Amino acid sequence: MKNTLPDSAGITTPGLIGFVLFIILYFPIIYFVPAWKVQKLLEVQVVVATVTLLSIMGWAVHSNGGSPGDLVSPAITLTKAEAGFRVVQGITSVAGTYTGGTDRVSDWTRYGRSRHTSTPAIISLAVTVILTALIGIISTSALAQSYGMLQWNPLIMLQYVQQTKYTAKCRAGTFFAGIGLLSVTVFVNYTQNCVSSGMDVAMMVPKYITQRRGTIIFSILGVLANPWRFLTQASTFITVLSSFGVFMSPAAAILVVDFWIVRRTKWNTPELYTPGGIYWFTGGVNWRAMVAYTLGMWPALPGFISEVSDPGSSMHVNIVWKRFYQISFFFGFATSAVLFYIFNRIAPPPGLGIQVDLDIDGTHIVEGVADQHSSLEKGDHVGVDVRNVELLVSS
């Protein structure tokens, strides 16, 4: 199909038509499929994703005469120090990409039936990240050697292959591969972007916006943002993915330290739903978290702004700030974690040491040990079942 759009559009006519068709397919799914019913569909997507990615890798290796390509010898010469730093930068990029998903696990564990519903995700996430990266590396390496084109994006590579070998067999292969990638993309976007953002908006203004309405609002904003512009260059796309680590690693550090170290996995569940309760902090803001988050994030911002700026602009920063950005996941996580822990030691939050669950009949089931900063309160019409509790409230 002939392209009738100018280069400034950042997308071709076939690409725009494909995007519109994707939206037409996608919007009914986010409207009619509620979040708590998506589990069965996701189980199907695991199979679809596995078959699709393994098939693309098998075809790529077969096209290269059974060889995965040159996976060992680097394309450019690096010193040991530079190579080591690039490894850390690569880890930062991958970790930053997946931290957003792991931070949003609670959007889905709310539908779980037990306290440790998400525990298996720790192993499954590690396995899938490693295997998916390996499949991508082998596929890209093999196709780079056989076609002489280094392309990291399987969709773009499939389009290129179809243009160079427009045979019936090639069209069939790219069609089924495209259907598999489309199917997976729909549900990755559904679970990782739309539902999570919809839940956030519904939490902020629950009187007017439901999770479904919030999802639709963010989907419309996503279309208006012209997302295809993020894919015009590999470097731009990688920069966008890496940027997640700038903003998400400090948040992840705070969540980890708060749950495992500060509160030692003990929560007062009814207080989570109590207006002005112990988790309301000051005006709804936990200053310990916000200060630790800001101090862990800001050193990476100059390098981030420089990376996403137009190459022709005058925006240049010192190499030190770029290094902060390139290892933002590790720096942001460590800085925010240490600061958040120190702030909680200086000014401990209320409710530490007590585990309070809400039983099916409305009874507060209390387990744990309260420290000198903690208190136990209940409503006038709610019973309390105290089990193995030692209150050490100072006079």
Side-chain angles (χ1 to χ4, degrees):
M1 183 178 293
K2 184 179 179 180
N3 177 36
T4 59
L5 298 176
D7 293 339
S8 60
I11 192 172
T12 63
T13 300
L16 183 60
I17 293 175
F19 182 78
V20 172
L21 292 176
F22 173 83
I23 296 301
I24 293 174
L25 168 68
Y26 183 65
F27 267 62
I29 293 176
I30 63 176
Y31 186 83
F32 291 107
V33 180
W36 59 88
K37 290 186 178 180
V38 77
Q39 179 68 31
K40 296 298 181 181
L41 295 175
L42 292 178
E43 292 173 357
V44 175
Q45 297 311 308
V46 172
V47 178
V48 173
T50 302
V51 172
T52 301
L53 295 180
L54 289 178
S55 298
I56 292 176
M57 184 184 69
W59 163 76
V61 173
H62 176 74
S63 299
N64 197 35
S67 170
D70 190 354
L71 297 173
V72 180
S73 179
I76 58 177
T77 302
L78 297 174
T79 64
K80 290 185 177 180
E82 182 70 12
F85 185 85
R86 293 301 178 186
V87 169
V88 175
Q89 183 183 0
I91 296 174
T92 296
S93 177
V94 175
T97 303
Y98 283 92
T99 300
T102 53
D103 280 355
R104 294 190 294 268
V105 165
S106 58
D107 291 327
W108 297 98
T109 54
R110 67 179 64 188
Y111 302 117
R113 298 180 181 273
S114 66
R115 179 180 174 88
H116 300 286
T117 299
S118 62
T119 302
I122 298 174
I123 299 175
S124 60
L125 181 63
V127 172
T128 52
V129 168
I130 293 172
L131 292 181
T132 303
L134 181 62
I135 291 173
I137 291 171
I138 293 176
S139 301
T140 302
S141 175
L143 290 174
Q145 196 171 68
S146 58
Y147 283 88
M149 176 183 179
L150 185 62
Q151 179 52 253
W152 50 269
N153 190 326
L155 287 172
I156 297 179
M157 175 52 72
L158 289 174
Q159 294 175 29
Y160 176 79
V161 170
Q162 185 170 267
Q163 291 174 359
T164 56
K165 293 185 178 181
Y166 198 70
T167 64
K169 184 184 296 186
C170 179
R171 292 199 303 272
T174 53
F175 170 79
F176 287 111
I179 287 293
L181 293 173
L182 169 65
S183 178
V184 173
T185 300
V186 166
F187 286 95
V188 166
N189 199 46
Y190 177 94
T191 56
Q192 295 297 303
N193 297 324
C194 286
V195 170
S196 300
S197 57
M199 288 180 178
D200 292 340
V201 176
M203 176 190 68
M204 295 173 64
V205 279
K207 184 177 180 179
Y208 304 101
I209 299 180
T210 63
Q211 180 264 316
R212 177 188 293 173
R213 292 173 183 171
T215 297
I216 293 175
I217 290 173
F218 266 87
S219 296
I220 294 174
L221 293 176
V223 174
L224 297 178
N226 296 175
W228 53 82
R229 294 187 181 277
F230 297 131
L231 298 170
T232 53
Q233 295 181 359
S235 58
T236 302
F237 185 70
I238 293 173
T239 299
V240 172
L241 292 182
S242 301
S243 67
F244 284 109
V246 174
F247 305 102
M248 299 309 300
S249 63
I254 292 170
L255 291 175
V256 169
V257 172
D258 188 60
F259 182 71
W260 292 100
I261 301 177
V262 175
R263 302 186 185 276
R264 299 184 181 180
T265 73
K266 298 185 184 299
W267 285 91
N268 188 330
T269 304
E271 282 288 312
L272 291 170
Y273 306 94
T274 302
I278 63 174
Y279 299 118
W280 184 245
F281 300 105
T282 305
V285 177
N286 184 352
W287 67 266
R288 308 163 189 82
M290 293 306 299
V291 174
Y293 177 84
T294 302
L295 293 177
M297 175 191 65
W298 80 265
L301 289 182
F304 167 67
I305 295 174
S306 175
E307 288 294 322
V308 299
S309 298
D310 189 342
S313 67
S314 59
M315 178 62 191
H316 297 287
V317 298
N318 189 278
I319 187 63
V320 174
W321 297 112
K322 291 185 178 181
R323 294 305 192 198
F324 272 126
Y325 164 71
Q326 291 169 337
I327 59 171
S328 57
F329 183 85
F330 294 101
F331 177 82
F333 192 99
T335 302
S336 295
V338 172
L339 290 176
F340 184 69
Y341 177 75
I342 293 174
F343 295 154
N344 280 275
R345 294 289 294 180
I346 296 174
L352 298 182
I354 302 176
Q355 174 71 38
V356 185
D357 294 319
L358 191 63
D359 207 357
I360 193 170
D361 62 355
T363 300
H364 288 197
I365 302 176
V366 185
E367 299 179 359
V369 176
D371 63 19
Q372 59 180 348
H373 305 284
S374 302
S375 62
L376 173 63
E377 298 179 356
K378 69 182 183 66
D380 296 334
H381 306 289
V382 181
V384 175
D385 180 8
V386 181
R387 304 179 182 178
N388 303 323
V389 178
E390 180 185 359
L391 295 178
L392 303 177
V393 182
S394 66
S395 59

